Amino acid sequence: MSDPQLTTAMPGLAGVTHRWLDVRGLLMHVVEAGSGEPVLLLHGFPQNWWEWHGVIPRLAEQYHVIAVDQRGAGWTDAPRVGYDARSLVEDIVLLIEELDLGRVRIIAHDWGAIVAQLLALDRPDLVEALVVLSCPDLHVRPDASILRLVPKIWFDVPLATAGVGVWAMAWGKQRIVRMLLKHFEPPRGLSGADIGLYLARLRDPGRARAGSALYRDFILPAFMRLVAGRYADEPFAVPVLVMIGENDPSAALQRMGYRSGLPARTFVEVLPGEGHFIVDHRPDVVAQRAADFFRTEKNGA
């Protein structure tokens, strides 16, 4: 098998530095830019740090920005194990400690936003504020209308199935993953170059195996816990901004609401005309709204 570090050329972005950190034996790739108070960026599936290439330069004007390739993604190691919630959250906790960041602001997308929310629940001492993108607040209480979402998220099951998921991600025309990168999107979609970059990383069998394990051990179990209301009575102790495109299935989940209304210090914004990949489509809006939110919360307004 080829070395996964060498299978795809690293995309270039001016003004950033790259380094690999040994986090309890996991070699994690991080990208850094700017200076000041830290902002940590966590990507979604099937993306990697490059998801943030439009956001990083904008935030780096005010902050020390750290974009990380999470376990199994991008240019971080892809071991066979460790794709459960506890391990994925612990990866980020140990990374924060390794970088000596103290309390951080976090912007997270898709499954990265689930990791970030669990981190905020478990270790609020490490989180200054959190921006959740394209993912519902874990505290929503789904109702029977959730059944209408099943035809829109059918791909979760084959991707999570051992063997089938690896084949779908790595081999053939990678049709399911290609579909994911265009699903629920405005007509323009993602750029062909970006889609090619994400697909190329998944052609490495180890990364395809990691992606399937991620769905099987983390994404689907987290979804089932949300449906069961397991998080509903564990409020955040940190301020949270949720931003979702109106065409994203997560928006339907978010609209189902909360047991006792919108929690204190939690804010929700739905972006008209947008889909799941709002970081790619509107990096200007994501960066500006996040910076405004961080500034407002710091000033106690």
Side-chain angles (χ1 to χ4, degrees):
M1 186 184 300
S2 62
D3 183 347
Q5 299 287 350
L6 302 176
T7 53
T8 311
M10 180 80 72
L13 184 63
V16 305
T17 59
H18 300 263
R19 56 173 163 156
W20 280 261
L21 300 173
D22 187 335
V23 178
R24 62 164 179 193
L26 180 73
L27 201 61
M28 297 190 75
H29 172 235
V30 299
V31 177
E32 297 177 273
S35 60
E37 297 177 327
V39 174
L40 184 64
L41 308 179
L42 302 181
H43 61 80
F45 181 88
Q47 297 176 285
N48 50 58
W49 78 269
W50 183 249
E51 171 181 352
W52 304 103
H53 69 271
V55 171
I56 291 171
R58 291 175 167 92
L59 286 179
E61 295 175 1
Q62 307 174 57
Y63 297 103
H64 172 201
V65 183
I66 307 104
V68 57
D69 281 335
Q70 297 178 88
R71 177 181 293 255
W75 285 263
T76 285
D77 282 350
R80 288 182 174 270
V81 298
Y83 300 95
D84 59 286
R86 181 176 180 178
S87 297
L88 293 170
V89 171
E90 189 174 28
D91 285 345
I92 304 306
V93 169
L94 294 176
L95 179 66
I96 291 172
E97 293 175 350
E98 178 69 22
L99 291 169
D100 195 23
L101 298 178
R103 299 190 75 193
V104 299
R105 296 166 176 83
I106 301 177
I107 309 174
H109 177 249
D110 187 71
W111 73 271
I114 304 176
V115 172
Q117 290 186 71
L118 295 177
L119 173 62
L121 290 172
D122 294 344
R123 293 294 306 272
D125 57 305
L126 296 178
V127 182
E128 186 76 26
L130 172 60
V131 176
V132 169
L133 303 173
S134 306
C135 176
D137 178 350
L138 294 180
H139 298 94
V140 298
R141 290 303 303 265
D143 54 39
S145 64
I146 196 173
L147 295 175
R148 299 173 188 169
L149 294 180
V150 173
K152 297 183 177 182
I153 58 174
W154 62 269
F155 48 80
D156 286 4
V157 174
L159 291 181
T161 303
V164 175
V166 174
W167 181 88
M169 291 186 196
W171 307 109
K173 296 185 181 295
Q174 300 174 288
R175 286 188 177 92
I176 293 180
V177 183
R178 288 179 186 275
M179 180 274 296
L180 278 177
L181 290 165
K182 297 181 178 180
H183 213 32
F184 314 115
E185 294 307 297
R188 63 186 181 276
L190 275 66
S191 75
D194 286 354
I195 290 175
L197 173 71
Y198 300 135
L199 292 178
R201 293 308 285 159
L202 279 178
R203 291 191 192 104
D204 178 84
R207 293 179 191 285
R209 185 173 58 243
S212 184
L214 179 70
Y215 267 88
R216 183 168 56 253
D217 298 340
F218 179 65
I219 295 176
L220 281 181
F223 178 74
M224 297 308 297
R225 291 188 185 101
L226 183 151
V227 170
R230 291 279 296 276
Y231 307 109
D233 297 317
E234 301 177 39
F236 287 124
V238 303
V240 177
L241 170 64
V242 180
M243 295 177 62
I244 303 177
E246 67 174 350
N247 298 323
D248 189 328
S250 294
L253 280 169
Q254 188 65 46
R255 283 193 291 267
M256 293 177 192
Y258 301 86
R259 176 179 294 171
S260 303
L262 190 67
R265 301 184 77 191
T266 296
F267 308 88
V268 178
E269 296 183 10
V270 177
L271 277 61
E274 281 298 330
H276 183 72
F277 295 96
I278 57 177
V279 179
D280 302 84
H281 294 152
R282 299 304 307 272
D284 54 334
V285 172
V286 169
Q288 187 61 58
R289 286 298 301 116
D292 290 346
F293 176 65
F294 294 152
R295 189 180 308 110
T296 298
E297 287 303 316
K298 181 177 180 179
N299 294 335

